[in-house]
Amino acid sequence: MTTSISNCTDLNGTCLQLPKATRVILVESQDDLVTSSSLVESAYVCGIDAEWEPGLPTATATLLQLAFTTVSPHQLGSFVLLLDLLSLPQSAVKDFLQGLLRNAKVLKVGYGLVHDLWAIAAALGDEGLGCVAVVEPQLDVGTLHRQLHKAHVPGIAKVVGKGLSALTEAQLSMPLDKSLQCSTWGRRPLTQPQVEYAALDALCLLMLLDDIIACAPPQQSTQNTLSLAEPGTAQPSEMDDQQASADAAMVSTSHHKLSSFDGAASDQPAAPLQQQVDGRNTSKPSQDALHTASMSNTCAQAHLGTTDMSDSVNHQASDAPKQSVGSTTEEAAAADSSGPVSQSSADQTRDQRSAGLQTSHEAAIQQAVEHWACRLEMTPGGKAAKPKAKRHLSRRQRAHIRHAVEKQNQIDDVAGAPVYVPWKDHPGEPRFMCDVMTEGLAKQLRLYGVDAAAVQTKGKGSRHLVYRQMVDVAQAEERVILTCDRTFIRMGYSDQAFYVRTTNKQEQVQEVLAHFDITIKEDSLLSRCAKCNGTFYPRPIPAGELPSSATEVADHIKKLHKEFWVCKKCGQVYWQGSQYGNALQQLSQRLSGLAVS
């Protein structure tokens, strides 16, 4: 199903908007997927993003967004595929996605692509990780932007804040509207604002890439500043200044002025674009500036899905001088001198122009692949394999890293106290959420009867996904997060977080109880399941009435003991064995310095 964008979700114009002429195709059936496969055959760059239901223990993608730039003899444009992972057969999605991710002719562009790939793998079930295990070639615009900004490349703006919205605000002058990021992505049908939001999230990746190439042509920025390619990658031959200038002009500079994405970029005169390129304010553009403006409009049309390029090119060429300025001006002069042309001749001219546009834009993407892209490999342990490329740091960069490490080791600069404590405003028992660094603390708190849940993670490599999941659960269940992660505290992910400074588990228990003024009661000791934080059934269960799942209890144990306590949550069985008395005695000794009622 093809969705036409008639209006945008951002009504006040303060956020980046989806171009009105963008073709958005919602793929909900296997037949739609087969039809869409034919559309991407001529694509050479793809922006990848995914959406999933917030608050789940494991991020599982429900929608996959793929933004393509493709050129055919009669068409230059971008379109977005929205793959409904809740409706499509998993086998069909696997075949389509694996072929795309491993297609060496298509550059895959993402922002934090590893997190999206893990969510996609979870949605595809068995062998989902094998489907997304290899992505080649791939390029992360966030990482590329950071590297170029550290190298002080002109035109690469400083990012203030975190996330893709901050990057678009810095580089494209407008942020993204992220109000729908945590909407119900598992509900069908999707609303029109959700469709526009999802499509723009993928399409803006291609906008960012084009803008970065315009500011820093891959060959120049790579040779002069940094090297992101793998060792042994064949480097193209050096180009002269004229060719490098053509490559810089080849990519749309109109991304800096986002008003050009209003659906009528092809009708704009060449003079304003010429002023954007070289900063001059002249009423009559020069020949070189006219050619540059033509190429800028061309790339703007690539993201608008323009289907007929002849009117735009003829409009630009009609105001140009009669001298030869590239193939576009020559053809326009020939058309003016020869008078009206036949329909077949016009089609042939349009095909030639489209072929030239295809060569120009593909050449820019190919240079980005050769100089910036790398191979991404996903490992079962939850991390992405590190790329083989090594970047040599300058003395200044090494000093900056050393200073950052020293600052991180200073514990005094961490505030660590929660701004909001739920049970202070709403009467109730203290409730905590412990991350992977304080999992041992969670088990100790459960022995004292304190409600201390632990975050469940799929892998160790998705730090920001763990942060997001932990904050969502803590807010939903009104818990205070206990963590030893300085980064989590410094970045201000949550105002319900407490920084645990001590390292010994018993000292950590005393620190938490003292800070939150928690009094432990005698009847609360050993009242929770140390395994899952669940509570026990109110009365002991005789050996003959134990559930069938309690297979870990040996027969001789059932004969020795008459009463058993079973966890409501996980079914773990407990009994008062020979160590029960010692455990109570040790807990009493540990509580000697605390207030026990």
Side-chain angles (χ1 to χ4, degrees), residues 571-584:
Q572 184 72 24
V573 180
Y574 296 83
W575 61 90
Q576 295 183 1
S578 58
Q579 301 299 325
Y580 179 76
N582 295 335
L584 285 179

Side-chain angles (χ1 to χ4, degrees), residues 321-584:
K322 296 301 180 179
Q323 290 86 350
S324 174
V325 185
S327 60
T328 302
T329 313
E330 291 176 352
E331 292 170 0
D336 293 339
S337 61
S338 59
V341 295
S342 62
Q343 183 65 29
S344 60
S345 177
D347 294 341
Q348 182 178 4
T349 303
R350 181 178 57 189
D351 295 348
Q352 294 174 355
R353 288 168 180 162
S354 297
L357 298 177
Q358 177 184 15
T359 303
S360 301
H361 196 260
E362 278 188 308
I365 298 300
Q366 182 60 32
Q367 287 190 17
V369 172
E370 294 175 352
H371 294 277
W372 292 338
C374 64
R375 174 187 175 96
L376 177 63
E377 296 180 3
M378 303 290 291
T379 60
K383 294 183 178 180
K386 295 182 179 179
K388 299 179 181 179
K390 294 183 179 180
R391 182 168 58 93
H392 297 286
L393 302 178
S394 64
R395 180 180 301 178
R396 179 179 179 181
Q397 290 172 328
R398 290 196 300 268
H400 177 75
I401 294 175
R402 184 167 58 252
H403 175 72
V405 173
E406 292 174 355
K407 184 177 180 180
Q408 184 177 4
N409 293 332
Q410 295 176 359
I411 197 172
D412 295 336
D413 62 346
V414 179
V419 178
Y420 173 69
V421 180
W423 59 85
K424 296 292 184 181
D425 297 337
H426 308 286
E429 296 295 329
R431 309 181 73 185
F432 297 100
M433 167 67 68
C434 298
D435 63 359
V436 292
M437 295 185 178
T438 56
E439 188 174 358
L441 171 62
K443 295 181 179 180
Q444 292 296 322
L445 289 173
R446 295 166 189 168
L447 296 178
Y448 296 97
V450 179
D451 187 350
V455 62
Q456 302 295 328
T457 60
K458 179 177 180 180
K460 299 181 180 179
S462 305
R463 168 182 289 190
H464 298 288
L465 288 180
V466 173
Y467 287 167
R468 178 178 175 181
Q469 168 192 341
M470 187 166 56
V471 171
D472 291 343
V473 175
Q475 292 178 351
E477 299 179 2
E478 295 188 345
R479 298 179 181 270
V480 170
I481 299 174
L482 302 179
T483 180
C484 295
D485 193 338
R486 297 183 181 92
T487 302
F488 181 85
I489 297 296
R490 283 199 183 98
M491 295 303 178
Y493 281 91
S494 174
D495 58 354
Q496 299 177 208
F498 175 74
Y499 180 75
V500 182
R501 301 173 182 272
T502 54
T503 56
N504 182 272
K505 292 183 178 60
Q506 304 307 322
E507 295 176 354
Q508 289 178 343
V509 172
Q510 296 179 7
E511 180 183 357
V512 172
L513 297 181
H515 180 84
F516 293 96
D517 194 18
I518 299 176
T519 301
I520 303 298
K521 300 179 181 180
E522 287 286 354
D523 56 358
S524 298
L525 299 178
L526 302 178
S527 61
R528 283 189 173 273
C529 177
K531 181 179 179 181
C532 72
N533 192 46
T535 57
F536 301 113
Y537 287 100
R539 66 176 185 86
I541 298 178
E545 298 179 9
L546 286 175
S548 58
S549 59
T551 56
E552 68 275 10
V553 182
D555 293 336
H556 70 279
I557 298 296
K558 296 179 181 179
K559 294 179 181 179
L560 291 176
H561 302 278
K562 297 180 180 180
E563 297 178 340
F564 296 85
W565 285 262
V566 180
C567 176
K568 297 179 182 179
K569 187 176 181 180
C570 68
Q572 184 72 24
V573 180
Y574 296 83
W575 61 90
Q576 295 183 1
S578 58
Q579 301 299 325
Y580 179 76
N582 295 335
L584 285 179

